[in-house]
Structures are given as structure tokens and as C-alpha cells.
Amino acid sequence: MRKRATAKQVAEAAGVSKWTVIRAFTPGASITEESKRKVLETAAALNYTPNLLARSLATNTTGQVAVFVDDFANPQKLPFLESLTEKLQAAGLVVMLININNHFDHVNALLHADQRQVDAIILFGTAFRDETLTDLQLGNGMPPMFVLARDSQIEGVPAVVCDAELALREIVDHLHAKGYKRPGFMSGAAALSTALRRRQHFAEFWAEKGVTDIALLFAEKYSAPAGAASIRRYLSETAAQDRVDVLMCENDILAIGAMDEIRGKFGLRVPEDIAIVGFDNYELGGSFAYGLTTYEQPRNEMVDVVLKMIKGKIEPETITLPGRLIVRRSA
Amino acid sequence: MRKRATAKQVAEAAGVSKWTVIRAFTPGASITEESKRKVLETAAALNYTPNLLARSLATNTTGQVAVFVDDFANPQKLPFLESLTEKLQAAGLVVMLININNHFDHVNALLHADQRQVDAIILFGTAFRDETLTDLQLGNGMPPMFVLARDSQIEGVPAVVCDAELALREIVDHLHAKGYKRPGFMSGAAALSTALRRRQHFAEFWAEKGVTDIALLFAEKYSAPAGAASIRRYLSETAAQDRVDVLMCENDILAIGAMDEIRGKFGLRVPEDIAIVGFDNYELGGSFAYGLTTYEQPRNEMVDVVLKMIKGKIEPETITLPGRLIVRRSA
DNA sequence: AACTCTCTTGCTACCGGGTGCAAAATAGTT
DNA sequence: AACTATTTTGCACCCGGTAGCAAGAGAGTT
């Protein structure tokens, strides 16, 4: 194994005690300019730098935040991860990225993060089952947890989410104003509360406009092929005059898959034959090829809020933040 | 701060010494079935689980691997991160994701990772400057480093990359066989060695076919708008009869940006007017809207190799692995 | 010069485990 | 029963820091 210089070695070389060395590296500690300079010089010569592991053990805070992700297929994760790493790092925290896809047992992942003494756990997944958490006797020594970008029904586990009610209201208002009359909704994994909520609000606001008949489509997972398969099923089973004139997809990936299928395989036009709306404002949806109307989650603001909760600057409680409707050609 | 049970507490409760408790949690340690059972029972009752931080401090290995990423705009990163987290976790390692975009000083990030005693550092970025590393007196206590998915010229820092020579040979062979005669190449950030290499091989293999005149386009960064801007400049400056008939873009993002611009703004056809080739096989490039011919890096194999090097199962040395040409409609 | 008061410095104890050795307990042998 | 070999267990010390207190060193006052 590698060997680094320790405070003790620097102390001997500089002719002081190891505590003086440590004080030289502790901002605001009581130490003379003279000895501080001396210590820092010998430290630089010996290539010494404090061992954060030892510090963590002594202070009982690691500065590490575990971020759980289970769905790497959604490109939306990447800008979120960028924002998370950037903001957490700026606050002196570091991200431990934990993959909890099916190969990995969720409970074990949680216990593992706990064993590593992380300061907080961010559940940034869409398919994390609530029961997994309730099984774990939360509060009993587990680090504080936060759910990012999805709902949480769990007592003591606050969520930071985009305001689904506002989002769907804006979307439905827009579609209604555009004159669409036969809406449909494509879900990705209906069991999830976040997914359900979007669909419910969609139905609710259309009902306010007097439209109660909403076609429901289901994709097996959040992927373009799944979206394509779902719309393929729908189009082949539904006569042209009975089809929706606008389809809202639960996220952009589904929307893109659906759009490809509609135009490529069925030769229909978007938005003339079927208009499409997505969710998430995934970067490529804005390209010329798609021009997807979508809704953008307030990523940076959401991460800011989670960070403040972790840092204890605001009370941990579920918070919804307003996003932004992005109108393009597809609807 | 939270309180967890410690080995000492479990020892008292079970009526043994703390070392016996530790042995119960150490596979292969010398301990009777009887006392092991007794310890594990009381441990379960007290909700005890070993503190990995303390263990790391004592054993001088953390099981943490820092992964440096600087460009979150490239969706290609996500499947790589998935593969990395999955395979490293399966090997008992955990990923510390470190964002080294411009807000963050690279040297500091390295020192920080070092201070956290990570077992290895994976540079999974495209714009990491070699000088940053050479400045750091490598080997002098720094954790072993590996460069993933780009070249490394640094002594002692091996790279695991997709075989660029083979890739470009396959691509050029394919394009030549298809009858293209006036090739062009769009670079993203020409200063990088990986980027240069792709361009050089592209030129080299065309030269073997007797084509020495390669149009060179430059995009300011690896993004769709940058690719679009680059091709826009080229098309508006170049008369129709002088234009390339096939354009190879350094990665799929540039290719998609270029394709959008060619079709959307200039009304030209792909591949009839200009054929397009990308690199990386970014998922959406395969959609109906793009049908991008591209080249796929052997992600899983690359990660496997890095993992083996980290684990010391194979000698750390630069390794190139063959990828796979993916032919679609765009070329 | 004696005496405070304040700033530095060193020390003990501790964070929660791991290592290697010696003592204790058990098993095996004659 | 005495003795040896082997397994278990306990112990001192270590990993590299931090916390808080007490002793030491200066500076200021009378």
C-alpha cells in the first residue's frame, strides 16, 4: 500500500508537536504566524495533506452523500447528476454514486451507504419502492434521506419535486387552447406514485374542460422502444377516426420513441395527425428532428433545495417547485 | 449526531471481548460457531454493523474509486457510468463521482480524492489536460490512476480505449465501398490527443484509397448546436459542387447537430446530398429520425479491463479494445 | 519584580475498528 | 493423568486524526 506523510512525521521534521501541525491546517485555530509558516513549509516539503478518513472518523461526518440511481436509460439523469455534483462539491460534499438497478438489492445498498457513514442519502430514482424504506426502521441510526424528482409517501423522508399539478395544468391549458379535443396519455410504469399523479392531473384538468374520455396507453418501461411498442399497439388496434389527436407521454424518451414510430412506421404526421407532448425537456427533444413540446423540471432549484435540507439550512419537508412549459412544433 | 452500536457495545451485551465481535464479522476468522452465533444475535438485536470508515482507516484501503467526469453534455457518459457503478459495486468497490468541469480546479480535485484515500482514480473525461497530471509528481503517494475512453501520454497512467485505428479503418473501408469520394471530418476540440488520433487515422486510411483532400470542420465543443454551427459555416462558405459527400463527425452529438442543420436549415438530404457518420453509438442516434451510422465503443469490456487493473489482476498498461461499426441509413 | 490576563502549545483521551502475539481453553495422544 | 498440539480468546498497540483541558510563554499592568 501507498504511504503518505502523517501529521506526526511533519511534526517531527518541523520540531513541533503533531497538534501544532494539525492547527496549521485548521482554519481559525490558535497558532502563531511563525509556527504556522514553519509547519506549512515542512508539510509542503513532505507532501503532507490531512487524511480526511481519519478526520471523518473523529468528527462523525464524512462529507459524503450517497446518490441512488436505478434507471440509467433516461438521459435526464445526466444533467441532474451534473447539477448535483457541482453544487454538492461547491458545498464541500462529495457524491457517492450508487447503482441500484435490479442486480442490486436495495436494502443492502442502503445498509452499505450507512456503513460508510454518509451524511445523507438522496434517492434519485423513479422505481424505488416505498416499502423498501419503511422496512428499514428509519430514524434508527440511518442517515437522513431525501427523495429527488419523485414523490415520497414515507414519513420522515421529504421529497423535492417539480410541481406536477401546475405542470399538467399549464400543459392541458396549452393543448386546449390549441384546439385539441381527444387527448391520450402514455404511462411508463403506472405503479409509481409520481407517474400516477401526472396522469391523474392530466385527466382532472381535461375534465375541467369538459373532456372526460382520455385514452390510456402503457409502455413497459421508460425507453424509446417501449414507447414505440406502446403506440404501435394503440395505432394498430384503433381505427383512424377514433384515434387521439394529442398524446401526452410521461417523459421525453417515451415521446421520442412514439414519434419515431408514428412518423417512421405509420407514415403519420406530427403534430397534424397526432400531436405529442413529453416531459423533462431532454436536450435532444429540442432538435430539429423532433421539436418536442415538453415541460422542464427546475433542476438547479431542486438540487439547491435538497442541498439546503442536507445542510440543515431549511426544515426538511416535501417541497414542490414550479417548472417551465416549453412549446415547440410537436404540439 | 446519530449514534450507532459499536463492536464494544455488542461485546458487552454478548459477554465477550470486542475482538471476538470483530472476528464474528471477519470471514475466515478463528472463532467457534457458538460464540459467532451469540455475537451475531446480539449484533442483530442492537442493529450493529461494522463501521467501514474505521475499517478503512485501519486497513488503508477504502474500497472507493474516484471517477472524474468533466463533460456531462455527452449522453454517452451515462451508459458508461451505469457500467462502471454496476461492475465496481459487484467487485465491492463504490464510485465517488467527481465533477471537474471548469468551475473546479483539476489539481484540487485530485488532491481531494487523494485525501479521501480512494483506492484508484479513473479519469473518464475528454478534456483533462495531460499537464495537470505531470505537474503532480505521480507515484508520489497518489492513488493509481487510469484513463478511460481517451488516450493517455502520461508515464505510469495507462489508458483503456477503443481501438481508434481499427475503428477508423472499418469506417473508411465502409465509406469507400459505398462509393463516397469527397470526405470531410468534423472535430470537436482538436487539441485533445484522442480527437487528433481519430482525424489522423481518418486521413491516413483515405490516403490509402488515394484520397488526400479531406475537408476539415471544427466545432467549438461537443454539443449539437456547436455541430450545427460548424456545418452551417461550412455550407454557407462552400459552393454546392465543392462540398463533401460524406462527413465524419467526431461523435454522435456533433453528428446529430450537423444532421439537423443540413436537413432543417439547408433543406438537403442525408445521405443523398451529404452522408453523415458519428462515433459512440449514442442511443438516440439509432432512432428513426436520425438512423445514424456510427461506431460503438466496447463499454463493458473497457470497464472490465479497468476493473481488473484496479484489482491488480492484470498489469496496468494501455490497452485498446475493438469496437463495432454500426451501419444505418445516414451513410 | 511580582502578578494578571491572554495566546500558544502539548497532553490525555477518544473515534471504531485491525494486527500480531501471548495466554487460555480445548482436543488429541500416550 | 500428564503432556503436547491446536484452536480460541484477550490484550497492547496502531491507523491518523479531533476535542478539551492544563501547562507554558509572552504581553501588559502596578
Side-chain angles (χ1 to χ4, degrees):
Chain A
M1 287 300 109
R2 299 169 288 119
K3 275 286 175 199
R4 297 186 188 72
T6 70
K8 198 172 158 193
Q9 290 165 1
V10 175
E12 278 164 17
V16 296
S17 70
K18 74 165 185 176
W19 297 276
T20 303
V21 172
I22 284 164
R23 285 191 182 99
F25 283 90
T26 310
S30 165
I31 185 173
T32 36
E33 273 308 312
E34 166 66 9
S35 36
K36 183 166 186 174
R37 186 189 50 71
K38 194 168 56 182
V39 167
L40 291 182
E41 269 171 21
T42 39
L46 294 181
N47 213 349
Y48 166 77
T49 158
N51 182 331
L52 294 187
L53 216 54
R55 176 178 296 171
S56 297
L57 180 61
T59 57
N60 199 24
T61 56
T62 55
Q64 301 199 131
V65 174
V67 174
F68 284 34
V69 176
D70 68 351
D71 173 22
F72 287 82
N74 185 347
Q76 158 81 345
K77 302 280 176 187
L78 204 47
F80 256 115
L81 282 178
E82 174 170 28
S83 183
L84 272 169
T85 48
E86 182 174 326
K87 287 176 187 292
L88 292 193
Q89 283 174 205
L93 299 170
V94 77
V95 166
M96 229 170 78
L97 183 63
I98 299 193
N99 182 338
I100 50 165
N101 63 21
N102 295 334
H103 304 287
F104 234 77
D105 177 16
H106 292 192
V107 176
N108 275 344
L110 280 173
L111 290 178
H112 185 83
D114 182 40
Q115 281 187 278
R116 293 210 183 254
Q117 321 290 111
V118 297
D119 289 348
I121 294 178
I122 296 177
L123 301 175
F124 173 39
T126 50
F128 207 96
R129 297 187 320 281
D130 289 355
E131 304 81 53
T132 308
L133 296 180
T134 40
D135 287 354
L136 269 173
Q137 304 168 284
L138 294 176
N140 188 5
M142 289 295 284
M145 290 199 227
F146 306 92
V147 173
L148 180 60
R150 65 161 281 223
D151 287 341
S152 159
Q153 262 84 39
I154 326 222
E155 178 75 20
V157 180
V160 177
V161 293
C162 172
D163 186 338
E165 184 173 347
L166 176 66
L168 273 298
R169 183 179 290 284
E170 287 186 36
I171 290 170
V172 172
D173 280 351
H174 168 72
L175 296 179
H176 183 253
K178 280 278 185 178
Y180 294 109
K181 297 198 161 39
R182 296 187 307 284
F185 190 94
M186 183 190 291
S187 305
L192 294 173
S193 51
T194 310
L196 280 177
R197 181 162 301 192
R198 283 186 196 164
R199 200 174 78 194
Q200 283 165 355
H201 284 306
F202 188 74
E204 175 188 344
F205 296 132
W206 271 113
E208 288 181 8
K209 313 284 187 198
V211 178
T212 52
D213 188 24
I214 311 265
L216 294 182
L217 283 72
F218 298 93
E220 292 193 355
K221 47 183 184 167
Y222 294 100
S223 73
S230 175
I231 190 81
R232 186 183 320 135
R233 224 164 26 239
Y234 174 77
L235 290 178
S236 46
E237 288 171 356
T238 315
Q241 69 276 11
D242 298 332
R243 288 177 185 158
V244 298
D245 58 2
V246 60
L247 178 68
M248 156 114 213
C249 299
E250 206 186 294
N251 73 19
D252 283 3
I253 294 296
L254 291 179
I256 283 173
M259 234 164 132
D260 270 350
E261 191 75 9
I262 290 171
R263 301 195 295 196
K265 299 281 164 50
F266 287 84
L268 299 173
R269 293 160 305 162
V270 175
E272 292 83 355
D273 297 314
I274 298 182
I276 299 281
V277 182
F279 207 102
D280 279 351
N281 191 27
Y282 161 43
E283 191 192 5
L284 233 68
S287 71
F288 170 79
Y290 294 105
L292 187 60
T293 292
T294 187
Y295 201 86
E296 184 174 79
Q297 300 195 43
R299 282 196 282 270
N300 287 322
E301 291 77 1
M302 289 165 73
V303 172
D304 282 338
V305 167
V306 172
L307 179 54
K308 278 184 192 152
M309 287 184 191
I310 290 175
K311 284 280 184 179
K313 288 181 186 161
I314 60 176
E315 249 354 85
E317 57 173 343
T318 291
I319 287 186
T320 56
L321 296 169
R324 193 162 63 93
L325 177 66
I326 296 183
V327 177
R328 299 204 188 94
R329 300 190 317 278
S330 79
Chain B
M1 286 303 107
R2 297 170 289 119
K3 275 288 173 198
R4 297 183 188 74
T6 70
K8 199 172 156 193
Q9 291 165 1
V10 175
E12 278 164 19
V16 296
S17 70
K18 75 163 186 175
W19 294 277
T20 304
V21 173
I22 285 168
R23 284 190 184 97
F25 283 90
T26 310
S30 165
I31 185 173
T32 34
E33 273 309 311
E34 165 65 11
S35 37
K36 183 165 184 174
R37 187 190 49 71
K38 193 169 57 182
V39 167
L40 291 182
E41 269 172 21
T42 37
L46 294 181
N47 213 348
Y48 167 79
T49 158
N51 182 332
L52 294 187
L53 216 54
R55 177 179 294 173
S56 297
L57 181 60
T59 58
N60 199 25
T61 56
T62 54
Q64 301 200 131
V65 173
V67 174
F68 284 33
V69 175
D70 68 350
D71 174 22
F72 287 82
N74 185 347
Q76 157 81 347
K77 303 279 176 189
L78 205 48
F80 256 115
L81 282 178
E82 175 171 27
S83 183
L84 272 169
T85 48
E86 183 174 325
K87 286 173 186 294
L88 292 193
Q89 282 174 206
L93 299 170
V94 75
V95 166
M96 227 170 79
L97 183 62
I98 299 195
N99 182 337
I100 50 165
N101 65 20
N102 295 332
H103 304 287
F104 235 77
D105 179 14
H106 293 192
V107 176
N108 275 344
L110 279 173
L111 291 178
H112 185 82
D114 182 40
Q115 282 186 278
R116 292 208 183 256
Q117 320 292 109
V118 297
D119 289 348
I121 296 178
I122 296 177
L123 301 174
F124 174 38
T126 51
F128 207 95
R129 296 186 320 281
D130 289 354
E131 305 79 53
T132 308
L133 296 180
T134 40
D135 287 355
L136 270 176
Q137 304 167 283
L138 295 177
N140 189 4
M142 290 294 283
M145 291 200 228
F146 306 92
V147 173
L148 179 61
R150 65 159 283 221
D151 288 341
S152 159
Q153 262 84 39
I154 327 224
E155 178 75 20
V157 180
V160 177
V161 292
C162 172
D163 187 338
E165 186 174 345
L166 176 65
L168 273 298
R169 182 179 293 282
E170 288 187 35
I171 290 170
V172 172
D173 280 352
H174 168 73
L175 297 179
H176 184 252
K178 281 279 183 178
Y180 295 109
K181 296 198 160 40
R182 296 188 308 283
F185 190 94
M186 183 189 291
S187 306
L192 294 173
S193 49
T194 310
L196 279 177
R197 180 163 302 193
R198 284 186 196 165
R199 200 173 80 195
Q200 285 164 356
H201 285 305
F202 188 73
E204 177 187 342
F205 296 131
W206 272 112
E208 288 181 8
K209 314 282 187 198
V211 178
T212 53
D213 188 25
I214 311 263
L216 295 181
L217 283 73
F218 297 94
E220 293 192 357
K221 47 182 185 169
Y222 295 100
S223 73
S230 175
I231 190 81
R232 187 184 319 136
R233 228 169 18 244
Y234 174 77
L235 290 178
S236 46
E237 286 170 356
T238 314
Q241 70 276 10
D242 298 332
R243 289 176 186 159
V244 297
D245 58 2
V246 60
L247 178 67
M248 154 114 214
C249 298
E250 207 185 293
N251 73 20
D252 283 3
I253 295 296
L254 291 179
I256 283 173
M259 236 164 130
D260 271 349
E261 190 75 10
I262 289 171
R263 301 194 294 196
K265 299 284 164 50
F266 287 85
L268 299 173
R269 293 159 306 160
V270 175
E272 293 83 356
D273 297 313
I274 297 183
I276 298 282
V277 181
F279 207 102
D280 279 350
N281 191 26
Y282 161 43
E283 190 190 5
L284 234 68
S287 71
F288 170 78
Y290 293 106
L292 187 60
T293 292
T294 186
Y295 201 87
E296 185 174 78
Q297 300 195 42
R299 282 195 283 270
N300 287 322
E301 291 79 0
M302 288 165 73
V303 171
D304 282 338
V305 166
V306 172
L307 179 55
K308 278 182 193 153
M309 287 185 191
I310 291 175
K311 285 279 184 179
K313 287 181 188 161
I314 59 176
E315 252 349 87
E317 58 173 341
T318 291
I319 287 187
T320 57
L321 297 168
R324 191 163 64 94
L325 177 66
I326 295 182
V327 177
R328 298 203 189 94
R329 299 190 318 279
S330 79

